[in-house]
Amino acid sequence: MVKFYGYLVADEWFYQRGIELGHPRPKTYEDSIDTIILASRDVRTETGVYTYTKFRQVQTLKGKVFWCIAFAASDPWEGLPTSAPPEERYKPLKEALQKKGPPRWFRAS
């Protein structure tokens, strides 16, 4: 089972980001996915982490599924480092997402 080291981001955060970018609130599943991908790409680009992160779905220990902006993975085939990055690599995203601590490890969904 692959694990990803990153920040969880709820769908609602991405929908709000999409609205801020001038897109309407999604009405269909396809609209939702488009908005989520667009907002993810935007925040990753704006914070300068786009080139060394991946966007994956993960599960919490309780089984809830979230999107994750990942900085590392337990499987090198994912194209990410296998260890946590230094704080300066994730700090801009941490601030944009208003997270309090460092990223954490989560199971792939």
Side-chain angles (χ1 to χ4, degrees):
M1 169 77 50
V2 177
K3 290 187 177 183
F4 292 101
Y5 181 80
Y7 283 116
L8 296 183
V9 187
D11 290 359
E12 189 58 40
W13 190 93
F14 289 122
Y15 299 154
Q16 187 58 43
R17 181 77 173 203
I19 290 168
E20 291 169 8
L21 294 171
H23 297 276
R25 185 159 189 82
K27 294 188 181 353
T28 66
Y29 176 76
E30 290 79 15
D31 290 347
S32 294
I33 296 300
D34 287 346
T35 299
I36 288 168
I37 291 170
L38 173 98
S40 164
R41 185 172 40 237
D42 177 73
V43 73
R44 290 166 58 211
T45 301
E46 180 181 286
T47 58
V49 303
Y50 186 85
T51 59
Y52 56 89
T53 58
K54 302 279 184 181
F55 191 53
R56 298 290 188 259
Q57 279 197 317
V58 298
Q59 287 184 353
T60 65
L61 291 175
K62 295 182 179 181
K64 187 159 169 98
V65 175
F66 284 92
W67 290 102
C68 177
I69 298 175
F71 292 89
S74 61
D75 183 346
W77 286 102
E78 286 292 332
L80 290 167
T82 55
S83 60
E87 183 178 14
E88 64 265 10
R89 298 279 279 187
Y90 64 78
K91 188 175 180 183
L93 183 65
K94 173 184 168 182
E95 291 171 355
L97 297 176
Q98 299 178 346
K99 300 289 186 178
K100 297 196 185 303
R104 295 185 8 212
W105 288 99
F106 300 95
R107 291 180 310 178
S109 66

